[in-house]
Amino acid sequence: MSVTLRDRESAATSSEHSERERRSQGRNGPWLAVLLIAALAITLAGVFPFRQIIAQDRQVESTRDKLAALVAENEALEAQAEALLTDAEIERIAREQLGLVRPGETGVTVRPSDAPPSTAPAVDTIEVDERSVIDKIWDWLTGRDLEPGG
């Protein structure tokens, strides 16, 4: 078994190569840490605006629902205003709310007794948030805690 010059050179090259790998692994550690910190910073930078976007979307939906309710109420009031233009509705309101009667009719008014109203003692109430910690964290992540009254 003779060791040739070529075997010695390949062994030396192999040991140099493994030595370089060990050194390069030592140099990659700090870069890997910097990369992980940057990824964490980017993730956190995305979470906070994401929360606000979700909260604003909910607020827009809530405002649209309120608008729809106001439109429906407006339509009902317009219908009521149109009904006020009829003689029958005017007479009904005059009789019920104002106590008016037609000539020749006798009006009767019934008054409640003068008994003092019962007074209940005032009770202080304390609001307790009974949600679980997981629900509170989820609300924080989704921005529900940013909603007014939420």
Side-chain angles (χ1 to χ4, degrees), residues 85-102:
L85 299 176
T86 63
D87 290 339
E89 186 67 15
I90 292 172
E91 182 177 348
R92 184 189 66 79
I93 291 173
R95 288 180 180 273
E96 290 177 5
Q97 295 179 5
L98 302 175
L100 299 177
V101 293
R102 287 189 173 265

Side-chain angles (χ1 to χ4, degrees), residues 63-80:
T63 304
R64 284 184 181 150
D65 292 343
K66 288 178 185 176
L67 177 63
L70 288 173
V71 166
E73 182 181 357
N74 193 26
E75 290 172 356
L77 288 173
E78 285 176 357
Q80 185 180 8

Side-chain angles (χ1 to χ4, degrees), residues 95-128:
R95 288 180 180 273
E96 290 177 5
Q97 295 179 5
L98 302 175
L100 299 177
V101 293
R102 287 189 173 265
E105 295 180 343
T106 305
V108 178
T109 304
V110 178
R111 295 185 185 202
S113 66
D114 291 334
S118 63
T119 56
V123 178
D124 292 334
T125 59
I126 299 174
E127 292 185 27
V128 178

Side-chain angles (χ1 to χ4, degrees), residues 47-80:
V47 166
F48 292 107
F50 181 69
R51 292 178 63 229
Q52 292 175 346
I53 289 169
I54 290 175
Q56 288 172 351
D57 284 345
R58 280 199 199 101
Q59 192 173 17
V60 167
E61 289 174 17
S62 172
T63 304
R64 284 184 181 150
D65 292 343
K66 288 178 185 176
L67 177 63
L70 288 173
V71 166
E73 182 181 357
N74 193 26
E75 290 172 356
L77 288 173
E78 285 176 357
Q80 185 180 8

